[in-house]
Amino acid sequence: MNTENIFSVVVLISGNGSNLQSIIDDSEYGASYTIKAVISNKPDAYGLVRAQNSGIETVVVDHKMYHDRSSYDDALQSAIDQYNPDLVVLAGFMRILTTSFVEHYLGRMINIHPSLLPKYRGLNTHQKAISAGDTFAGCTIHFVTPELDAGPIIAQIPVKIEHSDTAQTLASRVLIQEHHIYPQVIKKIANGEISFHDYE
Ligand code: GRF
């Protein structure tokens, strides 16, 4: 198949890459979009193996090799732009991004976050939801803007918190929903059904 004109994505990861796997599986089925590369800031991220197993190019831009955030983000931007992707997908990419990096991809970069934003930006979201006595946790996909986890919300799925839940049990149920929703949103952006301009 000629993949030249297919909507292209680059996926950024830092770890296990279970969301990446759901995107790989979806991209192989129906071909609404293609994954041009997977980039990790950690050389030992298991997601790199997942990508290689599916014949997807991988790149490591190791944050330990850079002295400051802005030189790291410059290197990351060069690595991404070699692939000229239509969309940058953050899938468990555990880095704070500089404003100039975010602005370079404004409207072309999305993130998945394991809480019902605007609640619980940042880390430890599941424990925060449990400790607050919330009835629901969940996940959110949003366009990335300079303020952390604060960009326009594209989609959310709530997950009921059970009395017996620990942060781990809750995280694993939320993750199942993440795997469900992330490929769907990418497909809708690829098909032009969702655009950043709708939220401006
Ligand atoms: C997910 O819960 C995602 O929402 C968060 O980090 C986790 C990454 O998991 N940002 P994985 O690497 O996709 O398995």
Side-chain angles (χ1 to χ4, degrees):
M1 184 191 298
N2 175 12
T3 55
E4 276 300 295
N5 299 319
I6 294 184
F7 188 91
S8 64
V9 309
V10 164
V11 183
L12 270 53
I13 60 162
S14 297
N16 180 32
S18 67
N19 275 290
L20 166 67
Q21 188 67 57
S22 72
I23 298 164
I24 291 173
D25 293 346
D26 181 69
S27 71
E28 287 172 347
Y29 182 83
S32 307
Y33 57 92
T34 185
I35 303 172
K36 283 213 175 154
V38 171
I39 301 178
S40 173
N41 66 309
K42 292 196 176 172
D44 59 352
Y46 182 64
L48 293 168
V49 177
R50 297 180 188 269
Q52 285 152 11
N53 286 343
S54 291
I56 297 167
E57 278 190 43
T58 58
V59 181
V60 174
V61 187
D62 186 346
H63 62 275
K64 291 194 176 141
M65 309 291 281
Y66 296 84
H67 292 300
D68 55 45
R69 209 170 276 288
S70 98
S71 57
Y72 178 78
D73 280 6
D74 286 349
L76 183 62
Q77 187 174 312
S78 304
I80 295 169
D81 287 350
Q82 288 210 1
Y83 294 96
N84 195 25
D86 296 304
L87 186 70
V88 177
V89 173
L90 306 183
F93 187 65
M94 306 304 282
R95 298 238 350 136
I96 306 271
L97 301 165
T98 56
T99 296
S100 79
F101 179 90
V102 171
E103 283 177 348
H104 180 71
Y105 298 106
L106 196 64
R108 302 186 287 138
M109 181 158 65
I110 60 173
N111 181 44
I112 191 155
H113 183 76
S115 79
L116 294 176
L117 290 171
K119 279 190 165 183
Y120 315 131
R121 296 177 189 176
L123 300 173
N124 303 321
T125 54
H126 306 294
Q127 189 55 55
K128 286 175 186 164
I130 292 169
S131 300
D134 291 355
T135 320
F136 285 94
C139 56
T140 302
I141 298 172
H142 63 93
F143 284 107
V144 179
T145 55
E147 197 182 340
L148 181 70
D149 298 328
I153 291 171
I154 303 168
Q156 292 186 304
I157 299 188
V159 173
K160 191 163 182 343
I161 300 177
E162 306 294 345
H163 289 301
S164 58
D165 264 328
T166 63
Q168 287 72 24
T169 59
L170 181 57
S172 62
R173 288 207 313 288
V174 170
L175 203 51
I176 291 168
Q177 299 307 321
E178 294 184 38
H179 299 162
H180 177 63
I181 195 173
Y182 218 1
Q184 284 189 29
V185 165
I186 296 170
K187 220 164 357 200
K188 284 189 177 174
I189 294 174
N191 293 339
E193 292 168 52
I194 294 172
S195 150
F196 185 63
H197 301 299
D198 302 337
Y199 298 88
E200 284 176 304

